[in-house]
Amino acid sequence: GDRVALILPQCPEAAIAHVAIYQMGALAVPLSPLCTPDALAYCLGDAGAHLAIVDAATLPTLRQLRDQLPQLQHLLGVGAVAGQDLKRWEEVLEHASVRYTTAATAAHDPALILYPSGRTARPKGVLLAHRTLLGSLSGYVCSHDFFPQPRDLFWSSADWASTAGLGDGLLSTWHFGMPLLAYPGRFDAVRAFALIEKYGIRNSSLSPCDLQR
């Protein structure tokens, strides 16, 4: 039942954290690293986030907001972060137990709280259940010519704090045990073509704005 905020770009830690949060019966609260400080403070408070997983880019902003967020008790840092007010991802893994029992969750149990892009001061959160992923898989499968096929590899520029990035990307791809590419940089047409060529990307989801570039 704890709300766990993920304020990260596309990276392995973000993807791993999503799976771990759902398996333990907590609620993921993915927030875009591009959130304004006001929007970030509102979303964290509105969701009642107990833990936030952040990287070095977002950590300074979050530290400035801690006094406004009494429910935020813990920070977990990814990458080049340091400080006595947080625990580092690597250190937590070093002390993790090898024994773990996945929580038994029902289809209607809450799993995720999604907020829009975060560019408004008070975005409305949407509570989604575990069954949401299964309900959206058919659209994902059909849009990629009956995914998965041999050698399929997915990449999208969509933020993993959005419906497009999660339901039409990360979670659906991993549901089938297929690989996907994580790229933390902002969208750039030249870089996109380079990624497609280098990694042999066969599947993608791009916004109309990205295609116009």
Side-chain angles (χ1 to χ4, degrees), residues 136-149 172 175-176:
S136 64
L137 283 178
S138 59
Y140 181 79
V141 168
C142 292
S143 64
H144 292 277
D145 293 333
F146 297 99
F147 188 90
Q149 298 293 328
S172 294
H175 170 81
F176 292 103

Side-chain angles (χ1 to χ4, degrees), residues 128-160:
L128 301 175
H130 282 270
R131 63 188 172 202
T132 302
L133 175 61
L134 295 179
S136 64
L137 283 178
S138 59
Y140 181 79
V141 168
C142 292
S143 64
H144 292 277
D145 293 333
F146 297 99
F147 188 90
Q149 298 293 328
R151 303 190 312 279
D152 275 355
L153 173 62
F154 182 87
W155 167 74
S156 173
S157 61
D159 196 324
W160 286 355

